[in-house]
């Protein structure tokens, strides 16, 4: 158990919670407000690791230069010389996770930088590339189009693809990414598809329509626990019977296991996250 004190720091204008530790540093970027991220520091598979948690909610304003944020993040956490760093992101936090991980790889090409993103936005600008079907687009763009600085940042950092390509080129294969998304959610399929085919990027579709499917999953506690957890979630509020939920739960776990086999180093960090509960 890691008893180190949790510190409140800043990277640019964005707040982060940080706990020092041993092993590979891990940055988690979540769509929930920063005040709701304390659970990540509880008992989990990340107990002894250096851990930083940020909120994508603050980043939607695009009021900080992402270059400056990444440099400030590495300096604040003391991770400037880390040889192996992982980033985990969900939904809008997946967008920031991909962007920041790619930028870290460009800044430190000899380091092994890897990112795992669930149901991520991968492009919010320009609209012809992003597609306006993506959840929260209007809100994100409206929030990031208020001042000349915000508009410049939105135009420069609104698309993760050029940064991922730069990371792949600069790092000579040290940068790796895994993107998991629901196969029956058109918005998430479109966003994940933008990164398909880039070297070093694994894109895997899981058999569900639920954007927040990551709230159901766990690899660390074994197949039976994982299937039972998914089955229970699917039967809440009378949405389906246990008998109806079991084959879906089994298929979803199997797809996650297949994705883990395709990207073992990345998926190994995914124990049992605690995002907002499934509604």
């Amino acid at each position: 158990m890691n008893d180190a004190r949790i510190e409140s720091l800043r990277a640019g204008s964005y707040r982060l919670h940080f706990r020092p530790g041993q092993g590979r540093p891990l940055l988690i970027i979540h769509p929930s407000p920063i005040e709701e991220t304390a659970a990540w520091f509880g008992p989990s598979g990340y107990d002894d690791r250096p851990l930083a948690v940020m909120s994508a909610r603050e980043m939607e304003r695009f009021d900080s230069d992402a270059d400056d944020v990444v440099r400030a993040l590495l300096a604040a956490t003391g991770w400037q010389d880390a040889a192996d760093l992982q980033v985990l992101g969900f939904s809008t936090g997946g967008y920031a996770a991909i962007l920041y991980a790619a930028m870290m790889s460009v800044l430190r090409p000899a380091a092994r930088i890897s990112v795992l993103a669930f149901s991520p936005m991968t492009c919010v600008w320009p609209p012809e590339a992003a597609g306006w079907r993506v959840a929260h687009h209007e809100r994100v763009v409206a929030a990031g189009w208020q001042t000349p600085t915000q508009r410049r940042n939105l135009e420069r950092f609104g698309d993760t693809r050029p940064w991922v390509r730069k990371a792949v080129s600069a790092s000579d294969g040290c940068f790796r990414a895994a993107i998991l998304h629901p196969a029956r959610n058109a918005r998430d399929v479109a966003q994940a598809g933008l990164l398909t085919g880039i070297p070093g990027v694994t894109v895997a579709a899981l058999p569900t329509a639920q954007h927040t499917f990551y709230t159901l999953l766990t690899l660390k506690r074994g197949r039976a626990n994982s299937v039972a957890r998914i089955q229970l979630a699917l039967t809440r509020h009378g949405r389906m019977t246990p008998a109806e939920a079991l084959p879906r739960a089994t298929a979803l776990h199997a797809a996650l296991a297949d994705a883990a086999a395709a990207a073992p180093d990345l998926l190994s960090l995914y124990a049992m996250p605690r995002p907002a509960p499934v509604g």
Side-chain angles (χ1 to χ4, degrees):
M1 178 70 179
N2 189 336
D3 295 321
R5 182 172 61 89
I6 299 172
E7 304 174 37
S8 295
L9 307 174
R10 281 192 174 270
S13 63
Y14 305 142
R15 295 174 290 172
L16 67 102
H17 291 155
F18 172 67
R19 182 199 65 205
Q22 301 297 318
R24 290 184 292 181
L26 172 62
L27 169 64
I28 297 174
I29 308 180
H30 196 270
S32 295
I34 191 70
E35 293 82 6
E36 299 177 11
T37 60
W40 290 96
F41 295 93
S44 74
Y46 315 129
D47 279 347
D48 297 320
R49 300 183 62 171
L51 178 62
V53 181
M54 301 178 74
S55 169
R57 191 75 58 88
E58 299 184 355
M59 302 169 186
E60 292 178 358
R61 299 190 301 269
F62 283 88
D63 51 3
S64 285
D65 184 301
D67 279 322
D68 294 339
V69 172
V70 169
R71 287 188 174 91
L73 168 67
L74 295 175
T77 56
W79 294 349
Q80 305 99 315
D81 299 321
D84 191 345
L85 196 152
Q86 295 179 310
V87 186
L88 176 61
F90 306 90
S91 190
T92 50
Y95 159 81
I98 296 166
L99 178 66
Y100 289 178
M103 299 185 81
M104 288 176 190
S105 194
V106 171
L107 287 171
R108 305 198 58 249
R112 181 185 175 94
I113 308 293
S114 52
V115 56
L116 171 61
F118 288 85
S119 304
M121 298 174 77
T122 60
C123 178
V124 297
W125 193 268
E128 59 269 20
W132 290 102
R133 294 175 300 168
V134 175
H136 311 309
H137 247 147
E138 292 85 351
R139 176 169 59 82
V140 171
V141 171
W145 203 254
Q146 302 298 315
T147 69
T149 296
Q150 289 174 294
R151 291 195 291 271
R152 182 176 65 250
N153 287 336
L154 182 61
E155 291 173 339
R156 185 179 177 199
F157 304 115
D159 189 346
T160 64
R161 290 175 296 173
W163 297 100
V164 170
R165 293 189 181 101
K166 287 180 183 179
V168 171
S169 176
S171 69
D172 194 25
C174 289
F175 173 83
R176 295 178 60 226
I179 312 299
L180 273 64
H181 67 91
R184 297 195 292 272
N185 185 309
R187 297 176 300 189
D188 288 330
V189 169
Q191 286 282 294
L194 295 175
L195 294 180
T196 300
I198 298 179
V201 178
T202 299
V203 178
L206 273 68
T208 179
Q210 185 168 314
H211 177 76
T212 56
F213 71 92
Y214 48 79
T215 62
L216 307 178
L217 304 178
T218 175
L219 283 169
K220 191 156 190 171
R221 301 189 181 184
R223 179 185 180 279
N225 179 283
S226 174
V227 171
R229 176 180 165 86
I230 299 169
Q231 183 184 26
L232 177 63
L234 293 175
T235 57
R236 286 182 188 145
H237 312 302
R239 287 182 293 186
M240 58 182 70
T241 67
E244 292 170 333
L246 181 58
R248 293 198 183 190
T250 302
L252 189 53
H253 172 83
L256 180 68
D258 289 344
D265 181 60
L266 292 172
L267 270 292
S268 67
L269 68 86
Y270 187 71
M272 186 181 289
R274 285 169 295 280
V278 179

